[in-house]
Amino acid sequence: MDRRTFLTHGRTTERDYRTAAGTSSFADTAPPPAGDVAQLHRRVLSERMESLKGRREPYDMPRMVTSGLEPWHPSTMQPWSRQRAGYLLRRTLFGTTLDEIETAMASDPDEVVHLLVTDTTPPEPPFDWQHDDYWNNNTNNDRDNRDRLQELRDWWTERMLLQDFSIREKMTFFWSNHWATEASSARQPHFNFWFIEYFRQNFLGNFKQMVKDVTVSPLMLLYLDGAYNTRTRPNENYARELMELHTLGEGNGYTQEDIQEAARALTGWTLQQTGTSPVGTRMYHPREAVFVPGRFDNNEKTIMGRTGNWGYADVVDIIFDVHGPEVARFICRKLYREFVYEIADEQIIDGLADILMENNWELRPVMMTLLKSRHFFDAANIGAHITSPLEFYIGSMRALHVEANNVRRVYQVCASLGCQLLEAPNVKGWPGYRSWISASRLASRWSVSDELVFGTKSGNPRYGVDVTAFIGTLPNPRNARRLVHDVVEFYIPLRLSNKQFDMLLDALLGGAPEYEWDPTATGAENHIKDFLKAVLRLSEAQLS
């Protein structure tokens, strides 16, 4: 059973308020299964360790999804509605706006997906220190570089807030989590900038080439000790994570001997020193590493049964040649978890893996196929994704047209909710889904969303919802029932019960009868804010 069905299991009320407010729905959802399947679903979720390791689960998840990778086409029963358009955009962007949904509604789904995955020119940052050689300023406790690291975090946060109609920023974060690093261990802002910028430039590039490039990137060499990996003192850290976390999955197709031999093949690469700084510290190239032959183990190595005097690129080639299907399924499974559902549908994974290998490891055909598929648009997958702090908070700001005039505060809120940019919890990155939600974190989400609505956040300048501007984007804000329906249809991915709808309507009206509703009346602004507060506190508002 999928999360959507599990959450609504036993709910029998139909959203008949649609008759008065609108008609779009997900009426094509099948009836919930029996209780024994729900019990099995809970047990499977509690034991879902294999998917977290990038491997196939030992038994399939019982779900109500039978559709495949064939293209989805709107129909009378499954129309191209604002809810489906919103679902597509929320999965590929950090939240969406009504204008973006209307843009999507003006096209067919195929055209929208093409727009989302099209390569565009990424924006230039407002600073230029990333081009300078990096050096540690020990005369001021390296305050300059700490400030630059925060400047980078602020700019990345702003890019999410002001994103183009493109999956680029969502993929940039995905890759930064796939190749997770910790700024507390690798503080150099220059290295961090070029690491993230590489993903932004190659967001749907060639996966095999990405693995090679990341292997000799300055930040990864520093973070996983590759810069100190020499023929006399081989270091296994990166070789292990290359196989375990980046290409194959934990314990899948490699041995300890393979790791040891790969570590020898990865020797020789280190940070490129460019001179001495004005304060006497070493200066390093901000973007490129260097190969030092004297540090390289120039002897034969045997990796996965293949013997030769291998180097770093050979290691990647061997992994992909010997275990190509496993690598393809591994990365497709991670993409599926990010963009569809927590537990992968292995038939879908097999199909995506075939597409990836047939296209010589190019990722764009894979994502285009997935995002256009009947499987992706299946009603059981809509609302089955627990939003990250970035998706929830930045998505709420974008949905409510909140002006991003205090980006530092936005970053701080997302960090307090459990997602601090450039600071993954460990080398495995953020596991996502249920790790984003706990009793305390849900209370924190309520607190920050309340402050967002009422504009009571600390910091200067403050920001909050401009009610007049927000309701001005709605088709008929003078009809209270229609106003509630339009916001729910726009923001909430799942069907609400009549009781939930009445609760939201009551929050808007404040006990007054519907015929008295006037959005321009004295006090109406506070009623609208009460209503928006109630919307953002819904359990369904934590999903996409």
Side-chain angles (χ1 to χ4, degrees):
M1 182 191 291
D2 58 275
R3 180 170 179 77
R4 177 179 186 275
T5 307
F6 179 70
L7 285 173
T8 57
H9 182 55
R11 184 179 294 165
T12 57
T13 56
E14 188 64 30
R15 201 160 68 168
D16 51 24
Y17 60 80
R18 293 195 194 97
T19 303
T23 57
S24 83
S25 68
F26 291 117
D28 50 296
T29 306
D36 57 339
V37 177
Q39 184 177 5
L40 175 60
H41 184 268
R42 288 192 294 270
R43 180 168 65 85
V44 172
L45 289 179
S46 69
E47 299 171 0
R48 68 193 200 290
M49 298 308 296
E50 296 307 302
S51 65
L52 294 179
K53 297 175 182 177
R55 302 187 304 206
R56 179 173 184 150
E57 293 290 337
Y59 40 85
D60 292 332
M61 167 71 76
R63 297 196 70 205
M64 296 171 62
V65 183
T66 59
S67 50
L69 289 174
E70 62 275 11
W72 177 74
H73 299 291
S75 65
T76 302
M77 290 297 295
Q78 296 183 343
W80 180 229
S81 62
R82 287 180 177 82
Q83 282 187 300
R84 278 194 170 84
Y87 159 70
L88 171 62
L89 297 185
R90 278 187 287 269
R91 290 295 180 92
T92 52
L93 309 175
F94 287 100
T96 187
T97 66
L98 275 170
D99 288 342
E100 288 170 340
I101 290 180
E102 291 306 318
T103 297
M105 289 296 297
S107 303
D108 63 52
D110 277 5
E111 292 173 341
V112 176
V113 171
H114 274 285
L115 283 174
L116 289 167
V117 302
T118 297
D119 200 356
T120 57
T121 303
E124 291 292 330
F127 45 79
D128 58 9
W129 48 256
Q130 73 275 14
H131 298 292
D132 300 334
D133 290 349
Y134 165 78
W135 52 278
N136 182 293
N137 190 343
N138 55 15
T139 64
N140 66 359
N141 197 26
D142 210 31
R143 184 179 65 248
D144 294 338
N145 283 315
R146 292 201 305 274
D147 291 345
R148 287 170 171 174
L149 189 63
Q150 186 58 60
E151 192 174 12
L152 173 57
R153 284 170 163 151
D154 292 346
W155 182 66
W156 194 5
T157 302
E158 186 176 49
R159 289 315 319 146
M160 296 176 185
L161 282 160
L162 304 178
Q163 64 198 293
D164 298 327
F165 197 84
S166 169
I167 199 175
R168 182 190 297 275
E169 290 304 321
K170 200 70 172 286
M171 290 301 305
T172 299
F173 180 76
F174 171 81
W175 292 122
S176 74
N177 194 42
H178 178 70
W179 280 291
T181 59
E182 301 167 72
S184 57
S185 299
R187 296 183 179 88
Q188 290 78 352
H190 305 63
F191 297 173
N192 276 280
F193 171 84
W194 288 114
F195 195 67
I196 299 304
E197 187 64 11
Y198 175 81
F199 299 138
R200 184 171 285 114
Q201 296 281 352
N202 298 276
F203 66 107
L204 286 176
N206 186 284
F207 180 60
K208 185 176 182 180
Q209 187 60 49
M210 291 177 75
V211 176
K212 291 181 178 180
D213 292 343
V214 169
T215 297
V216 292
S217 64
L219 183 64
M220 189 56 74
L221 286 172
L222 188 64
Y223 179 58
L224 288 179
D225 302 319
Y228 315 111
N229 183 19
T230 67
R231 60 184 177 82
T232 57
R233 298 184 65 182
N235 187 297
E236 299 175 8
N237 285 355
Y238 182 75
R240 184 179 306 280
E241 309 309 353
L242 171 64
M243 300 179 195
E244 180 175 311
L245 299 178
H246 304 157
T247 57
L248 288 170
E250 187 176 338
N252 187 27
Y254 62 90
T255 66
Q256 176 61 26
E257 290 72 23
D258 291 328
I259 293 172
Q260 293 170 342
E261 293 290 276
R264 293 174 54 216
L266 294 169
T267 55
W269 286 88
T270 190
L271 306 181
Q272 183 177 166
Q273 187 174 346
T274 57
T276 303
S277 75
V279 300
T281 56
R282 295 176 178 177
M283 300 175 68
Y284 297 99
H285 195 287
R287 189 172 185 176
E288 298 177 1
V290 63
F291 179 73
V292 181
R295 297 164 63 100
F296 177 63
D297 187 331
N298 199 26
N299 297 293
E300 286 192 340
K301 304 100 178 169
T302 300
I303 304 171
M304 297 178 179
R306 297 191 178 183
T307 301
N309 188 11
W310 309 127
Y312 88 96
D314 300 313
V315 175
V316 177
D317 287 338
I318 290 171
I319 293 172
F320 278 66
D321 289 346
V322 176
H323 293 293
E326 288 86 351
V327 173
R329 284 193 288 267
F330 170 80
I331 193 60
C332 288
R333 196 173 288 117
K334 291 198 73 170
L335 288 166
Y336 186 97
R337 291 192 76 241
E338 178 68 22
F339 292 98
V340 184
Y341 187 63
E342 180 178 18
I343 306 294
D345 183 312
E346 293 300 328
Q347 289 186 335
I348 299 298
I349 298 306
D350 289 342
L352 295 174
D354 288 342
I355 294 170
L356 183 59
M357 291 185 290
E358 289 167 2
N359 286 275
N360 194 30
W361 303 101
E362 292 292 331
L363 290 156
R364 186 169 276 104
V366 173
M367 290 303 295
M368 287 182 66
T369 300
L370 178 61
L371 297 177
K372 290 181 178 182
S373 69
R374 287 185 60 204
H375 185 85
F376 178 79
F377 281 103
D378 195 297
N381 285 325
I382 297 173
H385 175 81
I386 299 176
T387 56
S388 70
L390 300 171
E391 292 167 321
F392 173 73
Y393 192 70
I394 292 177
S396 296
M397 289 187 68
R398 298 187 75 242
L400 298 175
H401 293 264
V402 176
E403 184 178 353
N405 58 6
N406 190 341
V407 178
R408 178 69 54 84
R409 179 62 182 172
V410 178
Y411 156 77
Q412 291 170 340
V413 168
C414 293
S416 71
L417 293 177
C419 190
Q420 182 181 11
L421 290 177
L422 305 177
E423 197 67 70
N426 51 55
V427 72
K428 295 181 179 181
W430 288 281
Y433 279 88
R434 286 157 182 79
S435 68
W436 294 131
I437 294 289
S438 64
S440 60
R441 283 184 173 172
L442 183 58
S444 296
R445 288 194 181 205
W446 290 347
S447 175
V448 299
S449 62
D450 290 355
E451 293 172 342
L452 182 63
V453 169
F454 290 100
T456 56
K457 304 191 67 58
S458 60
N460 186 31
R462 296 186 178 185
Y463 53 84
V465 178
D466 182 335
V467 169
T468 302
F470 175 70
I471 67 170
T473 65
L474 302 175
N476 189 5
R478 289 188 170 275
N479 182 318
R481 187 170 292 268
R482 179 72 191 190
L483 188 155
V484 173
H485 169 270
D486 289 340
V487 172
V488 168
E489 182 186 47
F490 161 52
Y491 194 83
I492 303 300
L494 298 179
R495 178 192 311 163
L496 297 186
S497 67
N498 286 333
K499 183 177 180 180
Q500 288 175 300
F501 184 88
D502 290 342
M503 179 270 292
L504 295 176
L505 183 60
D506 186 62
L508 177 67
L509 296 173
E514 286 185 47
Y515 62 81
E516 290 186 1
W517 169 248
D518 180 0
T520 64
T522 302
E525 179 176 331
N526 290 331
H527 288 306
I528 296 172
K529 289 183 176 181
D530 287 338
F531 159 63
L532 293 177
K533 169 186 173 180
V535 171
L536 267 60
R537 281 186 166 224
L538 289 171
S539 298
E540 290 83 351
Q542 318 306 314
L543 307 173
S544 71

